[in-house]
Amino acid sequence: MSIHIRFISPDQSTQELRAKPGQSLMQAAVEAGIQGIAADCGGTLICSTCHVMLAEPWASRLPAPEPDERDMLAFTSAPQQTGSRLSCQIQLTPELDGLEVQLPPSQH
């Protein structure tokens, strides 16, 4: 089974991929060459360059951010919004098939 994900850029253009369950959203995006996910730290939760925004119903399908993720979200280049998350902390599950992810204007 693969999980279909659509990334929406600030200009409303889209990039799509299929990912394996168990990967992080960041890993899947980097492997697919999705522009807009810098992932400078490689998913070690010491930067905020994999910032994404999730609208409902997707945001409520995820566990709440852990304190370390909430702390790192304070350092995003683009202002935080409702639904802001670090994609390195989002584990892909079959329930996320069809996920739509808004990318910020910049990660730096």
XYZ file of all heavy atoms in Angstrom:
808
model
N 0.845 -1.186 0.000
C 0.000 0.000 0.000
C 0.882 1.237 0.000
O 1.899 1.279 0.664
C -0.894 -0.014 1.234
C -1.299 1.365 1.678
S -2.752 1.444 2.666
C -3.655 2.682 1.812
N 0.469 2.211 -0.745
C 1.181 3.486 -0.720
C 0.211 4.588 -0.320
O -1.000 4.450 -0.454
C 1.828 3.787 -2.078
O 0.853 3.949 -3.072
N 0.786 5.667 0.171
C 0.014 6.807 0.653
C 0.208 7.954 -0.341
O 1.346 8.346 -0.622
C 0.483 7.213 2.063
C 0.277 6.034 3.022
C -0.240 8.460 2.547
C 1.005 6.170 4.324
N -0.882 8.474 -0.857
C -0.843 9.591 -1.801
C -0.817 10.894 -1.006
O -1.628 11.091 -0.099
C -2.065 9.541 -2.726
C -2.107 10.670 -3.680
N -3.006 11.697 -3.565
C -1.343 10.953 -4.761
C -2.797 12.555 -4.542
N -1.797 12.135 -5.278
N 0.130 11.768 -1.358
C 0.281 13.052 -0.672
C 0.391 14.148 -1.722
O 1.111 13.996 -2.713
C 1.546 13.065 0.216
C 1.507 11.908 1.213
C 1.685 14.409 0.937
C 2.836 11.596 1.826
N -0.297 15.255 -1.474
C -0.215 16.426 -2.352
C 0.354 17.597 -1.555
O -0.175 17.967 -0.509
C -1.575 16.810 -2.888
C -1.503 18.060 -3.779
C -2.837 18.587 -4.131
N -3.618 17.507 -4.725
C -4.651 17.697 -5.518
N -5.043 18.912 -5.802
N -5.316 16.684 -6.009
N 1.415 18.185 -2.080
C 2.026 19.369 -1.493
C 1.564 20.576 -2.294
O 1.648 20.570 -3.530
C 3.556 19.271 -1.543
C 4.115 18.212 -0.636
C 4.200 16.897 -1.055
C 4.540 18.534 0.634
C 4.704 15.911 -0.224
C 5.045 17.562 1.480
C 5.125 16.246 1.044
N 1.112 21.608 -1.615
C 0.607 22.816 -2.261
C 1.557 23.968 -1.929
O 1.756 24.315 -0.754
C -0.821 23.140 -1.779
C -1.733 21.926 -2.009
C -1.346 24.388 -2.481
C -3.054 22.002 -1.288
N 2.156 24.529 -2.955
C 3.094 25.641 -2.796
C 2.337 26.935 -2.560
O 1.142 27.029 -2.859
C 3.967 25.765 -4.045
O 4.717 24.591 -4.222
N 3.019 27.970 -2.075
C 2.354 29.260 -1.859
C 1.692 29.821 -3.118
O 0.689 30.521 -3.030
C 3.474 30.174 -1.363
C 4.448 29.241 -0.727
C 4.392 27.982 -1.559
N 2.230 29.492 -4.310
C 1.616 29.969 -5.547
C 0.477 29.054 -6.024
O -0.030 29.214 -7.121
C 2.670 30.135 -6.645
C 3.264 28.808 -7.110
O 2.848 27.721 -6.634
O 4.171 28.853 -7.965
N 0.117 28.085 -5.183
C -0.966 27.117 -5.424
C -0.611 26.025 -6.433
O -1.463 25.216 -6.784
C -2.280 27.807 -5.806
C -2.797 28.760 -4.727
C -2.914 28.077 -3.361
O -3.586 27.080 -3.211
N -2.249 28.631 -2.352
N 0.637 25.990 -6.912
C 1.044 24.851 -7.734
C 1.177 23.636 -6.823
O 1.343 23.779 -5.602
C 2.356 25.143 -8.469
O 3.410 25.344 -7.537
N 1.081 22.459 -7.394
C 1.111 21.250 -6.575
C 2.209 20.301 -7.026
O 2.625 20.300 -8.183
C -0.238 20.507 -6.606
O -0.515 20.101 -7.941
C -1.363 21.382 -6.068
N 2.666 19.512 -6.068
C 3.595 18.417 -6.298
C 2.996 17.217 -5.577
O 2.512 17.357 -4.458
C 4.969 18.737 -5.706
C 5.600 20.031 -6.217
C 6.821 20.394 -5.404
O 7.879 19.823 -5.564
N 6.663 21.344 -4.495
N 3.033 16.059 -6.209
C 2.422 14.886 -5.601
C 3.414 13.747 -5.523
O 4.361 13.671 -6.309
C 1.184 14.471 -6.391
C 0.133 15.571 -6.379
C -1.191 15.155 -6.979
O -1.478 13.951 -7.034
O -1.940 16.066 -7.382
N 3.182 12.863 -4.568
C 4.027 11.693 -4.414
C 3.232 10.558 -3.795
O 2.140 10.763 -3.270
C 5.265 12.000 -3.567
C 5.081 12.382 -2.092
C 4.972 11.145 -1.207
C 6.257 13.202 -1.639
N 3.805 9.388 -3.879
C 3.298 8.210 -3.181
C 4.407 7.769 -2.243
O 5.573 7.705 -2.631
C 2.945 7.103 -4.161
C 1.746 7.456 -5.002
C 0.989 6.216 -5.434
N -0.295 6.554 -6.001
C -1.424 6.669 -5.309
N -1.415 6.485 -4.015
N -2.550 6.972 -5.902
N 4.034 7.480 -0.998
C 5.018 7.133 0.031
C 4.612 5.846 0.730
O 3.461 5.421 0.659
C 5.124 8.269 1.042
N 5.585 5.274 1.427
C 5.350 4.049 2.176
C 4.908 4.373 3.598
O 5.464 5.295 4.221
C 6.628 3.218 2.238
C 7.125 2.731 0.893
C 8.397 1.948 1.049
C 9.551 2.933 0.931
N 10.867 2.372 0.931
N 3.958 3.621 4.132
C 3.608 3.789 5.543
C 4.860 3.564 6.409
O 5.717 2.753 6.068
C 2.568 2.688 5.802
C 1.998 2.381 4.457
C 3.132 2.597 3.490
N 4.936 4.321 7.485
C 6.064 4.202 8.408
C 7.139 5.247 8.193
O 7.927 5.520 9.091
N 7.193 5.829 7.007
C 8.150 6.909 6.759
C 7.639 8.174 7.430
O 6.440 8.320 7.650
C 8.240 7.226 5.266
C 8.991 6.290 4.414
C 9.095 6.849 2.993
O 8.091 6.998 2.316
N 10.295 7.155 2.570
N 8.554 9.109 7.663
C 8.083 10.427 8.060
C 7.696 11.176 6.788
O 8.176 10.863 5.688
C 9.165 11.199 8.827
O 10.187 11.641 7.954
N 6.834 12.143 6.943
C 6.447 12.986 5.817
C 7.675 13.663 5.227
O 7.821 13.764 4.012
C 5.405 14.013 6.269
C 4.911 15.009 5.236
C 4.274 14.310 4.036
C 3.935 15.981 5.870
N 8.603 14.096 6.069
C 9.829 14.739 5.601
C 10.664 13.780 4.767
O 11.134 14.148 3.692
C 10.650 15.253 6.781
C 11.921 15.977 6.378
S 13.313 15.617 7.472
C 13.684 13.939 7.046
N 10.852 12.532 5.230
C 11.640 11.555 4.474
C 11.042 11.341 3.092
O 11.763 11.318 2.095
C 11.673 10.210 5.204
C 12.516 10.181 6.448
C 12.300 8.879 7.224
O 11.173 8.383 7.333
N 13.374 8.352 7.763
N 9.740 11.160 3.045
C 9.063 10.933 1.767
C 9.259 12.126 0.837
O 9.532 11.959 -0.358
C 7.584 10.656 1.998
N 9.130 13.341 1.377
C 9.280 14.555 0.563
C 10.698 14.696 0.039
O 10.904 15.008 -1.141
C 8.882 15.779 1.382
N 11.687 14.469 0.884
C 13.085 14.591 0.462
C 13.417 13.539 -0.599
O 14.014 13.848 -1.623
C 14.030 14.493 1.682
C 15.477 14.342 1.251
C 13.866 15.722 2.570
N 13.002 12.300 -0.376
C 13.268 11.234 -1.350
C 12.630 11.522 -2.695
O 13.187 11.163 -3.740
C 12.768 9.888 -0.822
C 13.627 9.326 0.278
C 13.079 8.032 0.860
O 12.157 7.420 0.269
O 13.583 7.633 1.925
N 11.480 12.179 -2.698
C 10.771 12.492 -3.947
C 11.227 13.818 -4.558
O 10.750 14.194 -5.624
C 9.263 12.524 -3.692
N 12.126 14.541 -3.876
C 12.608 15.811 -4.407
C 11.588 16.926 -4.357
O 11.610 17.832 -5.193
N 10.708 16.890 -3.381
C 9.687 17.936 -3.248
C 10.373 19.262 -2.911
O 11.085 19.367 -1.915
C 8.656 17.573 -2.160
C 7.915 16.286 -2.520
C 7.698 18.729 -1.896
C 7.045 16.366 -3.752
N 10.153 20.255 -3.751
C 10.721 21.570 -3.484
C 9.895 22.251 -2.404
O 8.673 22.197 -2.427
C 10.735 22.390 -4.761
C 11.657 21.782 -5.775
C 11.994 22.749 -6.883
O 11.672 23.926 -6.835
N 12.657 22.240 -7.880
N 10.573 22.857 -1.450
C 9.889 23.542 -0.364
C 10.113 22.870 0.976
O 9.718 23.403 2.010
N 10.736 21.697 0.986
C 11.120 21.019 2.232
C 12.646 20.979 2.243
O 13.253 20.207 1.507
C 10.558 19.576 2.313
C 9.048 19.574 2.235
C 11.060 18.870 3.571
C 8.331 20.076 3.465
N 13.271 21.827 3.068
C 14.726 21.888 3.109
C 15.310 20.749 3.945
O 16.301 20.138 3.567
C 15.180 23.238 3.652
N 14.729 20.482 5.109
C 15.157 19.374 5.974
C 16.655 19.431 6.279
O 17.356 18.432 6.171
C 14.757 18.039 5.369
N 17.125 20.601 6.674
C 18.555 20.797 6.911
C 19.146 19.838 7.943
O 20.291 19.423 7.807
C 18.839 22.232 7.343
C 18.650 23.239 6.228
O 18.521 22.833 5.047
O 18.610 24.450 6.525
N 18.381 19.468 8.961
C 18.931 18.603 10.012
C 18.670 17.123 9.745
O 19.056 16.266 10.539
C 18.405 18.999 11.395
S 16.685 18.540 11.705
N 18.007 16.810 8.653
C 17.758 15.422 8.306
C 16.739 14.727 9.185
O 16.676 13.505 9.222
N 15.956 15.495 9.905
C 14.897 14.896 10.719
C 15.265 14.655 12.163
O 14.601 13.883 12.848
N 16.311 15.321 12.646
C 16.735 15.117 14.034
C 16.104 16.105 15.005
O 16.468 16.141 16.173
C 18.269 15.187 14.155
O 18.713 16.455 13.668
C 18.931 14.069 13.366
N 15.178 16.916 14.526
C 14.419 17.859 15.354
C 15.295 18.941 15.976
O 15.112 19.344 17.107
C 13.617 17.108 16.431
C 12.472 17.851 17.109
C 11.446 18.348 16.109
C 11.812 16.977 18.145
N 16.296 19.396 15.189
C 17.121 20.502 15.687
C 17.076 21.705 14.752
O 17.884 22.610 14.879
C 18.581 20.068 15.956
C 19.239 19.519 14.701
C 18.648 19.077 17.108
C 20.733 19.266 14.845
N 16.144 21.679 13.812
C 15.916 22.850 12.964
C 14.418 22.919 12.704
O 13.665 22.112 13.222
C 16.714 22.763 11.650
S 16.065 21.638 10.405
N 14.011 23.842 11.918
C 12.580 23.958 11.606
C 12.370 24.115 10.106
O 11.411 24.724 9.669
C 11.969 25.131 12.370
O 12.641 26.328 12.024
N 13.278 23.528 9.316
C 13.231 23.722 7.870
C 12.424 22.658 7.131
O 12.568 22.485 5.919
C 14.655 23.803 7.284
O 15.330 22.570 7.541
C 15.426 24.970 7.879
N 11.564 21.980 7.872
C 10.615 21.052 7.242
C 9.194 21.437 7.655
O 8.288 20.616 7.663
C 10.942 19.599 7.587
S 10.745 19.172 9.330
N 9.020 22.708 7.958
C 7.737 23.264 8.388
C 6.682 23.090 7.302
O 6.933 23.354 6.125
C 7.952 24.756 8.688
C 6.732 25.501 9.087
N 6.558 26.818 8.738
C 5.640 25.158 9.798
C 5.411 27.255 9.218
N 4.832 26.254 9.865
N 5.520 22.625 7.687
C 4.361 22.509 6.800
C 3.117 22.927 7.568
O 3.142 23.023 8.798
C 4.178 21.067 6.260
C 5.354 20.653 5.391
C 3.953 20.070 7.383
N 2.041 23.170 6.842
C 0.758 23.485 7.472
C -0.270 22.475 6.986
O -0.320 22.166 5.793
C 0.298 24.905 7.129
C 1.109 25.999 7.805
S 2.652 26.403 6.988
C 2.136 27.141 5.477
N -1.067 21.992 7.922
C -2.106 21.017 7.612
C -3.459 21.599 7.978
O -3.645 22.085 9.089
C -1.892 19.725 8.396
C -0.542 19.044 8.217
C -0.444 17.823 9.117
C -0.322 18.655 6.778
N -4.376 21.548 7.051
C -5.746 21.980 7.325
C -6.536 20.774 7.832
O -6.068 19.633 7.787
C -6.372 22.547 6.054
N -7.728 21.036 8.292
C -8.625 19.948 8.665
C -9.148 19.287 7.397
O -9.255 19.946 6.372
C -9.788 20.493 9.507
C -9.367 20.961 10.884
C -8.737 19.871 11.741
O -8.970 18.662 11.506
O -7.995 20.216 12.647
N -9.409 18.034 7.423
C -9.454 17.153 8.589
C -8.111 16.538 8.939
O -7.988 15.802 9.910
C -10.429 16.059 8.159
C -10.147 15.900 6.695
C -9.860 17.310 6.202
N -7.070 16.861 8.163
C -5.771 16.209 8.350
C -5.132 16.529 9.684
O -4.575 15.638 10.333
C -4.844 16.561 7.184
C -5.453 16.212 5.885
C -5.914 17.079 4.933
C -5.753 14.901 5.399
N -6.465 16.381 3.889
C -6.377 15.039 4.151
C -5.550 13.623 5.906
C -6.788 13.964 3.386
C -5.960 12.535 5.146
C -6.567 12.707 3.907
N -5.166 17.772 10.104
C -4.491 18.159 11.346
C -5.002 17.356 12.541
O -4.211 16.927 13.393
C -4.649 19.655 11.594
N -6.292 17.126 12.611
C -6.849 16.407 13.770
C -6.635 14.893 13.687
O -6.891 14.195 14.657
C -8.332 16.723 13.929
O -9.053 16.298 12.805
N -6.144 14.400 12.573
C -5.852 12.963 12.449
C -4.484 12.606 13.012
O -4.127 11.433 13.073
C -5.929 12.525 10.986
C -7.336 12.587 10.451
C -7.416 12.079 9.047
N -8.774 12.287 8.533
C -9.149 11.977 7.323
N -8.302 11.427 6.475
N -10.386 12.202 6.936
N -3.732 13.620 13.393
C -2.388 13.399 13.925
C -2.374 13.559 15.434
O -3.158 14.330 15.986
C -1.416 14.415 13.330
C -1.226 14.371 11.828
C -0.358 15.538 11.401
C -0.602 13.056 11.415
N -1.436 12.867 16.096
C -1.259 13.136 17.526
C -0.802 14.583 17.712
O -0.197 15.172 16.809
C -0.156 12.171 17.959
C 0.144 11.304 16.791
C -0.528 11.870 15.582
N -1.085 15.133 18.848
C -0.636 16.502 19.153
C 0.889 16.566 19.114
O 1.563 15.571 19.408
C -1.143 16.920 20.528
N 1.442 17.715 18.749
C 2.906 17.851 18.745
C 3.485 17.646 20.150
O 2.903 18.098 21.136
C 3.151 19.280 18.282
C 1.868 19.787 17.765
C 0.781 18.948 18.338
N 4.608 16.966 20.205
C 5.339 16.806 21.457
C 5.970 18.157 21.829
O 6.138 19.026 20.975
C 6.431 15.739 21.299
C 5.899 14.347 21.023
C 5.222 13.726 22.231
O 5.626 14.021 23.370
O 4.271 12.944 22.022
N 6.367 18.338 23.083
C 6.961 19.616 23.492
C 8.173 20.033 22.658
O 8.312 21.218 22.329
C 7.348 19.384 24.956
C 6.366 18.351 25.429
C 6.146 17.454 24.234
N 9.033 19.095 22.278
C 10.214 19.461 21.478
C 9.810 20.027 20.118
O 10.410 20.981 19.632
C 11.134 18.253 21.274
C 11.877 17.862 22.536
O 11.945 18.676 23.482
O 12.408 16.731 22.563
N 8.790 19.440 19.509
C 8.317 19.964 18.224
C 7.718 21.349 18.415
O 7.992 22.269 17.629
C 7.292 19.027 17.594
C 6.788 19.542 16.254
C 5.737 18.665 15.602
O 5.355 17.617 16.173
O 5.280 19.035 14.503
N 6.907 21.526 19.445
C 6.321 22.858 19.701
C 7.421 23.893 19.889
O 7.324 25.010 19.388
C 5.402 22.807 20.919
C 4.066 22.167 20.626
C 3.038 22.434 21.716
N 3.490 22.089 23.052
C 3.303 20.908 23.643
N 2.678 19.946 23.007
N 3.739 20.696 24.866
N 8.488 23.526 20.603
C 9.603 24.457 20.806
C 10.252 24.839 19.481
O 10.542 26.012 19.234
C 10.650 23.853 21.741
C 10.174 23.729 23.178
O 9.134 24.331 23.545
O 10.841 23.003 23.948
N 10.501 23.856 18.601
C 11.159 24.138 17.323
C 10.259 24.936 16.379
O 10.755 25.714 15.570
C 11.609 22.842 16.644
C 12.829 22.189 17.288
S 14.231 23.289 17.599
C 14.578 23.925 15.989
N 8.955 24.780 16.498
C 8.048 25.550 15.651
C 8.177 27.052 15.899
O 7.843 27.861 15.038
C 6.599 25.092 15.850
C 6.230 23.789 15.152
C 4.910 23.249 15.677
C 6.183 23.980 13.643
N 8.708 27.427 17.049
C 8.922 28.849 17.349
C 10.004 29.453 16.456
O 10.116 30.673 16.366
C 9.299 29.021 18.817
N 10.779 28.612 15.770
C 11.898 29.094 14.965
C 11.642 28.999 13.457
O 12.564 29.147 12.664
C 13.175 28.325 15.324
C 13.588 28.533 16.748
C 13.307 27.564 17.702
C 14.214 29.701 17.139
C 13.657 27.758 19.027
C 14.579 29.908 18.460
C 14.300 28.933 19.409
N 10.405 28.776 13.057
C 10.131 28.684 11.621
C 10.342 30.029 10.945
O 10.109 31.081 11.539
C 8.695 28.194 11.358
O 7.772 29.100 11.954
C 8.482 26.782 11.884
N 10.790 29.974 9.706
C 11.007 31.190 8.932
C 9.681 31.886 8.634
O 9.557 33.097 8.795
C 11.715 30.835 7.623
O 11.790 31.941 6.777
N 8.710 31.120 8.201
C 7.368 31.656 7.937
C 6.580 31.619 9.247
O 6.768 30.715 10.059
C 6.672 30.821 6.881
N 5.707 32.574 9.461
C 4.928 32.584 10.699
C 4.123 31.297 10.871
O 3.596 30.741 9.907
C 3.984 33.782 10.531
C 4.629 34.646 9.500
C 5.386 33.713 8.596
N 4.058 30.858 12.117
C 3.234 29.691 12.430
C 1.777 29.991 12.156
O 1.334 31.125 12.282
C 3.361 29.347 13.910
C 4.605 28.629 14.281
C 4.531 28.193 15.725
O 3.662 27.417 16.091
N 5.436 28.704 16.530
N 1.058 28.956 11.790
C -0.377 29.050 11.579
C -1.039 27.901 12.315
O -0.370 26.962 12.747
C -0.702 28.946 10.087
C -0.085 30.034 9.254
C -0.419 29.834 7.779
O -1.282 29.056 7.406
N 0.285 30.554 6.936
N -2.340 27.964 12.422
C -3.061 26.814 12.927
C -2.728 25.658 11.991
O -2.765 25.816 10.780
C -4.583 27.078 12.917
O -4.837 28.221 13.716
C -5.347 25.882 13.444
N -2.364 24.551 12.543
C -2.000 23.396 11.713
C -0.530 23.335 11.356
O -0.114 22.451 10.610
N 0.304 24.269 11.860
C 1.741 24.203 11.594
C 2.335 22.988 12.292
O 2.046 22.721 13.457
C 2.453 25.463 12.107
O 2.304 26.530 11.223
N 3.150 22.261 11.539
C 3.833 21.074 12.060
C 5.203 20.977 11.405
O 5.467 21.594 10.371
C 3.050 19.794 11.743
C 1.682 19.687 12.374
C 1.715 19.596 13.902
N 2.477 18.476 14.413
C 1.975 17.310 14.802
N 0.668 17.101 14.728
N 2.749 16.361 15.270
N 6.070 20.180 12.009
C 7.339 19.825 11.382
C 7.132 18.474 10.724
O 6.729 17.504 11.376
C 8.467 19.775 12.409
C 8.780 21.104 13.093
C 9.908 20.930 14.100
C 9.123 22.187 12.082
N 7.403 18.405 9.427
C 7.099 17.173 8.693
C 7.951 15.994 9.140
O 7.561 14.846 8.928
C 7.222 17.406 7.188
O 8.524 17.796 6.816
N 9.081 16.257 9.800
C 9.900 15.150 10.313
C 9.207 14.427 11.463
O 9.566 13.301 11.802
C 11.279 15.633 10.749
S 11.297 16.754 12.175
N 8.200 15.036 12.046
C 7.497 14.455 13.187
C 6.164 13.818 12.805
O 5.438 13.338 13.655
C 7.280 15.522 14.265
C 8.577 16.107 14.797
C 9.476 15.022 15.386
O 9.107 14.351 16.341
N 10.639 14.838 14.789
N 5.858 13.802 11.528
C 4.597 13.215 11.059
C 4.895 11.852 10.449
O 5.552 11.757 9.403
C 3.915 14.129 10.025
C 3.562 15.474 10.661
C 2.683 13.446 9.434
C 3.055 16.513 9.690
N 4.463 10.808 11.129
C 4.629 9.445 10.622
C 3.461 9.111 9.708
O 2.302 9.291 10.081
C 4.708 8.448 11.779
C 5.942 8.617 12.639
C 7.231 8.462 11.836
O 7.438 7.457 11.173
N 8.087 9.469 11.889
N 3.776 8.630 8.523
C 2.749 8.325 7.544
C 2.074 6.999 7.859
O 2.740 5.996 8.099
C 3.351 8.298 6.138
C 3.926 9.638 5.677
C 4.629 9.493 4.342
C 2.823 10.694 5.601
N 0.756 7.036 7.873
C -0.066 5.856 8.128
C -1.120 5.774 7.026
O -1.404 6.776 6.357
C -0.773 5.958 9.496
O -1.667 7.082 9.457
C 0.222 6.119 10.642
N -1.728 4.612 6.839
C -2.768 4.496 5.813
C -3.905 5.506 5.995
O -4.515 5.924 5.013
C -3.271 3.059 5.982
C -2.083 2.323 6.514
C -1.404 3.312 7.436
N -4.161 5.936 7.222
C -5.225 6.914 7.476
C -4.910 8.281 6.861
O -5.796 9.116 6.732
C -5.464 7.082 8.982
C -6.015 5.851 9.664
C -4.968 4.770 9.914
O -3.778 5.076 10.061
O -5.365 3.585 9.924
N -3.663 8.493 6.484
C -3.265 9.772 5.892
C -3.260 9.737 4.362
O -2.807 10.690 3.722
C -1.895 10.209 6.423
C -1.845 10.507 7.919
C -0.428 10.853 8.354
C -2.812 11.615 8.291
N -3.755 8.653 3.770
C -3.834 8.583 2.308
C -4.700 9.733 1.799
O -5.816 9.951 2.277
C -4.423 7.241 1.873
C -4.376 7.062 0.367
O -3.378 7.473 -0.253
O -5.347 6.517 -0.186
N -4.160 10.497 0.862
C -4.857 11.670 0.336
C -4.459 12.965 1.024
O -5.008 14.027 0.726
N -3.497 12.899 1.921
C -3.046 14.066 2.692
C -2.694 15.241 1.788
O -2.024 15.074 0.770
C -1.809 13.673 3.519
C -1.145 14.757 4.358
C -2.075 15.234 5.455
C 0.159 14.218 4.959
N -3.168 16.430 2.178
C -2.786 17.669 1.502
C -1.984 18.516 2.482
O -2.391 18.708 3.625
C -4.024 18.423 1.028
C -4.721 17.705 -0.102
C -5.773 18.548 -0.787
O -6.079 19.664 -0.327
O -6.294 18.068 -1.797
N -0.847 18.990 2.000
C 0.129 19.695 2.828
C 0.409 21.043 2.199
O 0.799 21.122 1.030
C 1.438 18.876 2.910
C 2.482 19.600 3.723
C 1.171 17.484 3.460
N 0.232 22.107 2.958
C 0.572 23.455 2.467
C 2.015 23.766 2.836
O 2.425 23.567 3.988
C -0.370 24.489 3.114
C -0.156 25.894 2.615
C -0.670 26.103 1.206
O -1.759 25.648 0.847
N 0.107 26.780 0.383
N 2.788 24.209 1.858
C 4.186 24.581 2.087
C 4.282 26.076 2.388
O 3.542 26.873 1.803
C 5.024 24.254 0.862
C 5.121 22.762 0.521
C 5.729 22.571 -0.863
C 5.912 22.035 1.582
N 5.189 26.462 3.276
C 5.362 27.896 3.567
C 6.143 28.581 2.436
O 6.763 27.913 1.611
C 6.191 27.876 4.860
C 6.973 26.611 4.787
C 6.086 25.623 4.083
N 6.127 29.906 2.410
C 6.852 30.630 1.361
C 8.356 30.424 1.401
O 9.033 30.524 0.394
C 6.518 32.097 1.604
C 5.581 32.161 2.736
C 5.367 30.789 3.263
N 8.895 30.121 2.586
C 10.330 29.913 2.738
C 10.609 29.046 3.953
O 9.851 29.082 4.928
C 11.027 31.267 2.892
O 12.385 31.095 3.208
N 11.701 28.308 3.897
C 12.154 27.536 5.066
C 13.362 28.210 5.719
O 13.782 27.796 6.792
C 12.535 26.096 4.649
C 11.376 25.277 4.135
C 10.406 24.822 5.222
O 10.530 25.120 6.404
N 9.391 24.081 4.810
N 13.915 29.237 5.087
C 15.101 29.932 5.636
C 14.824 31.399 5.792
O 14.104 32.000 5.090
C 16.308 29.748 4.730
C 16.758 28.325 4.658
N 16.474 27.520 3.597
C 17.449 27.558 5.535
C 16.983 26.323 3.807
N 17.571 26.310 4.975
